Amino acid sequence: MGPPSNKKHLTDTTMRVAWCFFSLTLAIWFCDGNLCHGKDFTTDQIDFFERRVRPLLAKQCYECHGPSLQESGLRIDSRTSLLTGGDRGPALIPGHADKSLLIQAISFGANDLAMPPDGKLSAKEIEDLRHWIEAGAAWPSEEVQTDGVPRPNRETRHWAFQPIEKPKLPRVKDLQWVQNEIDLFVLSRLEEQGITPSPAANHDTLSRRIHLDLIGLPASRIATEKESIAELTDRLLANPRYGERWGRHWLDVARYGDTRGYVDGGQVQFAFAYTYRDYVIQAFNDDLPFRDFILDQLAADQQTYADTDRWRLAAMGFLTVGRRFNHNYHDTLDDQIDVISRGLQGVTVSCARCHDHKYDPIPTADYYSLYGILASSYEPQHPDLPTLTADGKSQESAEHLTELRKRATAYDTKYRDLHREIQHEMRGFATDYLVYLVQESPRHRMGDQNPLKTARTVLRGPTAYGFGSIQRWRRYLDKTDTADSIFGIWHAMDVIDQDNFSTELSRQLHRKDINQIIAKQLIEDHPGSMVELAKSYGSALEAFYQRNRQAAEANSAPPTNSEQAEMWAAIFGGDRPITITRLESIDCYHLDEHTAMRNLAGKVEELSINNSQAQPRAMLLRQRAQPHQPTVFLRGQANRIGPEVPRQIPAIFWGSDGNQLDRRTLGDDRLALADRIADRLNPLTARVFVNRVWHWHFGQPLVRTMSDFGVRSVPPTHPKLLDYLAAWFMENGGSLKKLHRLILSSRTYQQASLLRRKPNEIDPENRYLWRYNARRLEWEAIRDSLLFVSGQLDDRTGGRGIIADPDDPTTTCRTIYLQVDRQHIPSFARNFDFPSPDFTSPQRPETTVPQQQLFFLNSPFVTQQAEQLGQQITGLPPNETARFRELYRRVFAMSPPEDDQQIKRWLQQANRANQGTSIQDKWTWIAQAMLQSNLFVFVE
């Protein structure tokens, strides 16, 4: 607990100790199933802790087990950390001092562990700690001061966790400027700062802005004053191109990709990721209520749809189209937790994978509660994915379906055989595992390394993917103690010195509570060491397994004889770590088995990838028959198992009331999670989404930290406007199109983008929205606009992503339909800040680099579009001024300059630059100059 006197002492202490593990179930029971919330304590208890316990812990323990250093994974500067414990399990069991590792360590009674290493605490200090634990281990929460007066902590006070209440409309001086409620909130802030808003943009500018905003394409004709902004907005919202534009925004949040990223073996490409993209586009075009949009993406498999709505099954790509982290299952689930929490709730739950969140009220236990909800689902085999046809039946050829099923059967057979093989090894080779665990322990280690290879097998050790068979056997032993009828003698003998081993074993064999099958084997072998004891145990377990293997595999009833029933439960019991499911067996694969399984799975998927007639299927999840019981992974490592936690919705998803609810009674599956996130009482969902929408319209969100609304977030520039929009959005059925109409009809949105000196001096970042933010278009909108104005954009919609170079002039589809390969993002897409599809992206950066201009100068794609425009203009009557005006209208969809002299100067410059070339080359040059201008590349 204090600093070690020398490094060798610390190393010896750490490496040569055998700690006694406690029942984690007992620890959780004492914590009422929740590692994060202690009971209420009296003022006297808190006072005792503050005067006698905290100073002692700080002085003796924090240096090695505090914020900056956690020896053996143990941190003890919070009650939660003590209850969670470190590598050796919980350090504290409230009400049971003698069973707490903390007391055993400071009493120098936990084998050869002695803490602090510099010397034993005084008897008074030990008694203080013992008294504190026996009384319940009082620890002041942030909700209670030491005087016992309740107070709200910073987490529950935080603005984002408060219920959404529609604020009253503010009073303003200049009511004539106001066009709707948004303007009232914006103008009130401007008036507070002494800033006047900007005048309205002209009709051409507004028309171009709204076209690029809603459909991502320029107007096909010059706007007329006859069409009002409201009529223009309605017309564009009804355009199918709207869903493509706004669907791409959401795909950034959903970290959409058509490939898995880097993987060793197997298929890199997803066969049906495109069905999620098409779902998002259709959902936006149909103005699907946002609540339904959430429920679809998290739990479409648990809902019933009419035949005409089967397309909504594809929504679960939100969870399944993410990166696969070289098939690391735990990282894949972490990615799903991240996209749910940051994408939908604006909180960084993944920070709690290794430790309690440093700032927000997100304990590690809540992370693994959410992990358990998601791990209670599985991805069905490829042929079992539902088709999206109206009747749900496949219309693929019989040959295709036969081959598909054949390949799937080959995978399933190998999957089943490996599960049986691994299960057999764990039981049939028990001796090898038990001997390994003895020799690996610090007390009994005989050399520097205990080899995994034995005469019969290669033991399946822990890997990055999970426990491995060795860890499952270790966990089995850790969950038993000296009172266990099978392994009671094991634990009793494990702490006995070699000189006293035989004597103590003879005494232990007289115990009445020991299984007689085990006792008989030990009497017969009379082992003289723990290694020999492990061999005797292994012999008894293996012999019983071989005698009863066929009966167990046939699901026969257990024996009625008590001795045999105990052995049956020890080997075949469903609650024993050595009894594993098929999914759990993946944790135990050798590397070559992982590769073989990935290749077989890839063979199934590639059949549909390579068959253009393969019908679209939904990449959904299914609930497991037996839900997953989550456990904490110590320091986030899957091969270091901590205490169990319940499946329940994280408290932060309930806002400021989260800690007062019994979340375990409110559902523990994905549908319950989705329902909670979509609930109108959720304080985060609507706020987070309307903030994203505001950003996509203005290029600047109301809350700058768009995917982090936690305690460390940047406060909203217009908090009342944010809450008003969130409440309005929910009142209007979660209709995104209605929200568009509200925003676009506001004077705030319709302002000009020109800079003005005085407002710019007061508010250079335009935080108070005194003008519209001019900004560069995204890569997709630039490429699509180039195709559109040249007349080359094709009308393809939906379907499998096209594998093509987006810089290829012959690739004329809209950019959203190009395949997104996580490993090979096109260079000029990266140059224009296309986000990484490896994780959810709240917003795109806006960089200015030379490569952007070089793209317009040298790209064959840009050159091709300019040549198309040049050819079209050359075909018009030979009036250069008229030709220039027509080219201007086609490129910008705006009225050309009225000044003929300005046009002549353009034409003179073009003539000088293109001397000796054809007329078409000159107009191609002019077209390319227009296409790289700010007026084309920026929305103003």
Side-chain angles (χ1 to χ4, degrees):
M1 312 225 169
S5 55
N6 57 68
K7 292 184 178 179
K8 182 178 185 303
H9 178 78
L10 178 60
T11 302
D12 290 344
T13 302
T14 303
M15 299 298 293
R16 294 179 55 81
V17 202
W19 275 72
C20 182
F21 282 74
F22 296 114
S23 167
L24 300 180
T25 304
L26 179 65
I28 292 172
W29 181 83
F30 278 112
C31 299
D32 195 25
N34 192 329
L35 294 176
C36 315
H37 307 292
K39 66 177 185 178
D40 292 330
F41 299 105
T42 66
T43 302
D44 289 343
Q45 289 175 316
I46 296 296
D47 183 63
F48 181 84
F49 170 79
E50 294 290 4
R51 288 188 299 104
R52 308 289 284 274
V53 177
R54 192 195 293 272
L56 177 59
L57 295 177
K59 177 182 177 181
Q60 299 287 355
C61 310
Y62 285 3
E63 184 171 351
C64 296
H65 302 283
S68 59
L69 180 64
Q70 296 88 41
E71 291 286 350
S72 301
L74 176 62
R75 181 172 177 173
I76 63 175
D77 58 344
S78 76
R79 191 174 193 270
T80 298
S81 299
L82 282 164
L83 294 172
T84 304
D87 296 352
R88 302 167 179 83
L92 179 69
I93 299 181
H96 295 263
D98 289 335
K99 295 182 179 180
S100 296
L101 288 177
L102 177 64
I103 295 300
Q104 295 186 22
I106 65 174
S107 303
F108 285 39
N111 301 327
D112 57 351
L113 181 67
M115 289 292 170
D118 288 341
K120 193 174 181 180
L121 297 177
S122 69
K124 178 59 177 174
E125 290 172 329
I126 294 175
E127 181 56 34
D128 284 345
L129 288 173
R130 182 183 294 276
H131 171 76
W132 170 63
I133 295 174
E134 287 290 348
W139 198 296
S141 66
E142 290 192 339
E143 292 80 14
V144 180
Q145 300 185 49
T146 54
D147 58 6
V149 178
R151 65 176 182 188
N153 62 21
R154 65 176 181 174
E155 288 88 355
T156 57
R157 289 197 310 266
H158 183 56
W159 63 268
F161 304 151
Q162 305 309 309
I164 297 174
E165 296 181 1
K166 196 173 184 179
K168 294 180 180 179
L169 297 177
R171 295 173 179 268
V172 296
K173 299 174 184 177
D174 185 11
L175 273 173
Q176 290 185 341
W177 184 80
V178 174
Q179 199 152 282
N180 66 20
E181 301 92 329
I182 290 175
D183 299 330
L184 287 170
F185 289 100
V186 172
L187 185 58
S188 68
R189 296 303 304 275
L190 289 174
E191 291 178 345
E192 288 174 2
Q193 303 300 318
I195 302 174
T196 58
S198 296
N202 64 51
H203 200 70
D204 277 357
T205 300
L206 272 179
S207 174
R208 174 175 167 79
R209 179 188 299 173
I210 294 172
H211 273 84
L212 290 170
D213 205 346
L214 291 184
I215 65 173
L217 298 170
S220 58
R221 64 181 187 273
I222 296 176
T224 65
E225 298 290 346
K226 293 181 181 179
E227 186 178 38
S228 68
I229 297 300
E231 291 170 334
L232 172 61
T233 300
D234 286 344
R235 176 166 62 84
L236 295 180
L237 289 176
N239 189 323
R241 297 296 196 184
Y242 159 76
E244 296 169 345
R245 169 64 164 165
W246 279 76
R248 182 59 254 183
H249 287 322
W250 185 255
L251 294 182
D252 284 3
V253 176
R255 82 289 182 235
Y256 174 80
D258 291 285
T259 63
R260 290 176 167 82
Y262 174 77
V263 290
D264 267 336
Q267 179 57 247
V268 173
Q269 189 175 338
F270 289 122
F272 299 116
Y274 71 90
T275 62
Y276 175 68
R277 178 204 64 209
D278 290 350
Y279 162 83
V280 173
I281 292 172
Q282 186 170 350
F284 279 105
N285 277 331
D286 291 356
D287 199 20
L288 191 70
F290 193 61
R291 173 180 171 80
D292 293 345
F293 188 60
I294 292 173
L295 293 175
D296 286 352
Q297 292 181 97
L298 298 183
D301 62 307
Q302 295 177 264
Q303 300 186 79
T304 302
Y305 299 108
D307 284 346
T308 54
D309 283 340
R310 284 186 60 83
W311 61 274
R312 291 169 61 180
L313 289 170
M316 291 193 66
F318 181 73
L319 296 177
T320 57
V321 301
R323 180 184 167 198
R324 292 308 170 93
F325 304 91
N326 199 21
H327 303 287
N328 188 314
Y329 177 68
H330 310 291
D331 286 350
T332 299
L333 284 184
D334 181 72
D335 172 65
Q336 293 176 356
I337 290 171
D338 186 58
V339 77
I340 291 172
S341 59
R342 289 206 296 143
L344 296 175
Q345 298 292 272
V347 289
T348 54
V349 172
S350 285
C351 292
R353 180 179 183 179
C354 303
H355 52 74
D356 293 346
H357 199 290
K358 189 173 182 180
Y359 302 108
D360 296 333
I362 310 171
T364 300
D366 270 7
Y367 173 90
Y368 287 100
S369 290
L370 192 53
Y371 178 101
I373 291 175
L374 294 172
S376 296
S377 304
Y378 68 97
E379 292 188 57
Q381 270 299 296
H382 190 70
D384 297 327
L385 295 174
T387 63
L388 299 177
T389 53
D391 58 3
K393 295 180 180 178
S394 174
Q395 298 172 2
E396 295 155 322
S397 67
E399 292 80 7
H400 175 78
L401 291 175
T402 299
E403 180 63 21
L404 191 63
R405 183 57 63 185
K406 176 182 175 183
R407 297 187 184 192
T409 300
Y411 173 87
D412 198 62
T413 299
K414 181 68 173 177
Y415 191 13
R416 182 187 63 243
D417 290 348
L418 277 176
H419 173 239
R420 288 177 175 173
E421 179 181 341
I422 292 168
Q423 190 73 93
H424 168 68
E425 290 179 16
M426 292 178 69
R427 293 164 173 166
F429 303 153
T431 302
D432 301 81
Y433 283 101
L434 292 173
V435 169
Y436 178 91
L437 289 174
V438 169
Q439 293 179 336
E440 185 196 43
S441 67
R443 176 181 289 276
H444 306 290
R445 184 178 292 127
M446 302 300 294
D448 293 337
Q449 186 174 3
N450 190 24
L452 294 173
K453 185 175 178 58
T454 72
R456 295 189 292 183
T457 187
V458 176
L459 302 182
R460 299 175 180 270
T463 68
Y465 299 102
F467 319 144
S469 300
I470 290 174
Q471 286 290 70
R472 289 187 173 278
W473 261 111
R474 179 183 287 114
R475 189 179 174 205
Y476 188 176
L477 295 176
D478 292 345
K479 288 174 75 73
T480 59
D481 55 25
T482 55
D484 187 80
S485 63
I486 302 294
F487 285 99
I489 289 183
W490 175 288
H491 289 288
M493 299 305 300
D494 191 38
V495 297
I496 302 302
D497 295 335
Q498 185 65 43
D499 294 341
N500 301 318
F501 196 90
S502 296
T503 302
E504 179 61 22
L505 177 61
S506 298
R507 191 180 71 82
Q508 288 288 332
L509 287 173
H510 288 89
R511 289 172 52 176
K512 302 297 184 183
D513 58 344
I514 295 299
N515 182 277
Q516 292 306 300
I517 298 175
I518 294 293
K520 181 179 179 182
Q521 185 72 48
L522 294 175
I523 291 171
E524 180 180 329
D525 296 339
H526 203 77
S529 67
M530 273 303 295
V531 171
E532 292 178 4
L533 184 84
K535 292 178 180 179
S536 294
Y537 260 92
S539 297
L541 293 170
E542 289 180 19
F544 188 89
Y545 164 68
Q546 294 295 349
R547 289 196 303 271
N548 294 276
R549 179 182 179 183
Q550 290 185 344
E553 291 178 351
N555 293 319
S556 299
T560 56
N561 176 277
S562 61
E563 304 294 334
Q564 301 234 356
E566 289 174 348
M567 289 291 286
W568 180 283
I571 298 173
F572 302 112
D575 59 341
R576 299 301 194 270
I578 62 169
T579 299
I580 59 176
T581 65
R582 287 175 62 173
L583 178 71
E584 291 170 336
S585 68
I586 297 175
D587 284 339
C588 305
Y589 287 176
H590 293 308
L591 179 58
D592 59 334
E593 292 167 341
H594 272 295
T595 303
M597 291 299 292
R598 292 168 191 167
N599 289 335
L600 285 173
K603 290 291 184 184
V604 181
E605 201 160 7
E606 74 178 6
L607 189 65
S608 293
I609 293 173
N610 296 329
N611 181 0
S612 61
Q613 303 303 314
Q615 284 191 276
R617 296 174 184 266
M619 291 178 59
L620 47 63
L621 300 173
R622 297 286 190 196
Q623 288 294 105
R624 299 187 187 283
Q626 182 65 38
H628 175 75
Q629 171 55 59
T631 58
V632 171
F633 295 161
L634 301 176
R635 312 307 296 173
Q637 299 177 29
N639 55 9
R640 296 172 63 191
I641 303 303
E644 293 181 351
V645 293
R647 289 181 307 279
Q648 58 188 17
I649 300 170
I652 198 169
F653 289 11
W654 299 90
S656 57
D657 294 330
N659 293 339
Q660 281 72 51
L661 296 169
D662 185 356
R663 293 171 283 141
R664 289 164 294 179
T665 67
L666 299 169
D668 61 359
D669 62 7
R670 278 184 292 105
L671 183 58
L673 174 65
D675 188 66
R676 178 57 211 162
I677 290 175
D679 196 297
R680 291 189 61 178
L681 296 178
N682 186 309
L684 291 166
T685 308
R687 282 188 176 114
V688 169
F689 185 68
V690 298
N691 187 59
R692 294 193 192 282
V693 174
W694 189 271
H695 160 70
W696 291 326
H697 276 304
F698 287 88
Q700 171 179 301
L702 298 172
V703 180
R704 297 286 178 97
T705 49
M706 292 176 61
S707 287
D708 183 5
F709 275 45
V711 172
R712 299 279 288 183
S713 63
V714 176
T717 57
H718 297 72
K720 292 182 179 179
L721 173 58
L722 178 67
D723 277 10
Y724 183 88
L725 290 174
W728 188 96
F729 182 61
M730 292 187 290
E731 288 173 359
N732 284 270
S735 168
L736 179 56
K737 289 189 176 182
K738 289 183 180 179
L739 185 59
H740 288 313
R741 293 185 181 99
L742 178 70
I743 292 174
L744 270 59
S745 65
S746 69
R747 292 272 189 173
T748 303
Y749 178 84
Q750 295 173 15
Q751 292 180 100
S753 62
L754 294 176
L755 287 173
R756 293 182 292 136
R757 185 178 60 81
K758 183 178 178 181
N760 193 54
E761 290 175 352
I762 298 173
D763 179 23
E765 295 183 353
N766 192 28
R767 296 176 69 245
Y768 297 110
L769 301 168
W770 53 269
R771 67 183 180 94
Y772 185 82
N773 289 308
R775 63 190 188 279
R776 195 195 69 229
L777 293 171
E778 303 94 329
W779 166 60
E780 300 93 327
I782 291 173
R783 182 181 177 277
D784 295 344
S785 295
L786 288 167
L787 287 169
F788 183 80
V789 299
S790 68
Q792 301 303 299
L793 182 64
D794 66 39
D795 58 359
R796 168 210 164 111
T797 59
R800 193 179 303 279
I802 296 175
I803 304 175
D805 181 358
D807 202 18
D808 182 350
T810 64
T811 304
T812 59
C813 68
R814 191 155 191 188
T815 310
I816 195 172
Y817 297 119
L818 292 175
Q819 186 181 89
V820 178
D821 185 342
R822 286 187 160 88
Q823 290 294 101
H824 302 97
I825 301 298
S827 59
F828 79 82
R830 293 197 302 270
N831 292 339
F832 282 96
D833 306 313
F834 184 77
S836 170
D838 287 343
F839 41 80
T840 177
S841 298
Q843 59 195 114
R844 300 186 181 190
E846 286 192 18
T847 62
T848 301
V849 294
Q851 290 88 336
Q852 294 168 358
Q853 189 63 29
L854 291 173
F855 164 73
F856 285 102
L857 292 172
N858 302 320
S859 165
F861 180 82
V862 176
T863 302
Q864 172 71 12
Q865 311 319 313
E867 288 175 351
Q868 287 291 329
L869 283 166
Q871 182 179 350
Q872 295 165 19
I873 296 303
T874 305
L876 297 177
N879 181 318
E880 286 199 330
T881 300
R883 284 178 172 177
F884 184 90
R885 291 182 184 278
E886 179 57 27
L887 179 60
Y888 194 97
R889 292 187 188 97
R890 293 190 184 189
V891 173
F892 302 121
M894 299 176 71
S895 300
E898 296 291 338
D899 186 355
D900 288 348
Q901 293 301 317
Q902 183 181 356
I903 295 176
K904 287 181 180 179
R905 286 193 293 271
W906 269 77
L907 293 173
Q908 288 170 358
Q909 184 179 357
N911 288 330
R912 286 194 298 269
N914 291 277
Q915 289 182 359
T917 63
S918 67
I919 294 176
Q920 182 174 327
D921 287 342
K922 181 182 75 171
W923 286 106
T924 296
W925 184 91
I926 296 174
Q928 189 162 1
M930 287 185 178
L931 292 175
Q932 62 184 287
S933 68
N934 283 349
L935 187 56
F936 183 79
V937 177
F938 279 70
V939 57
E940 296 183 338

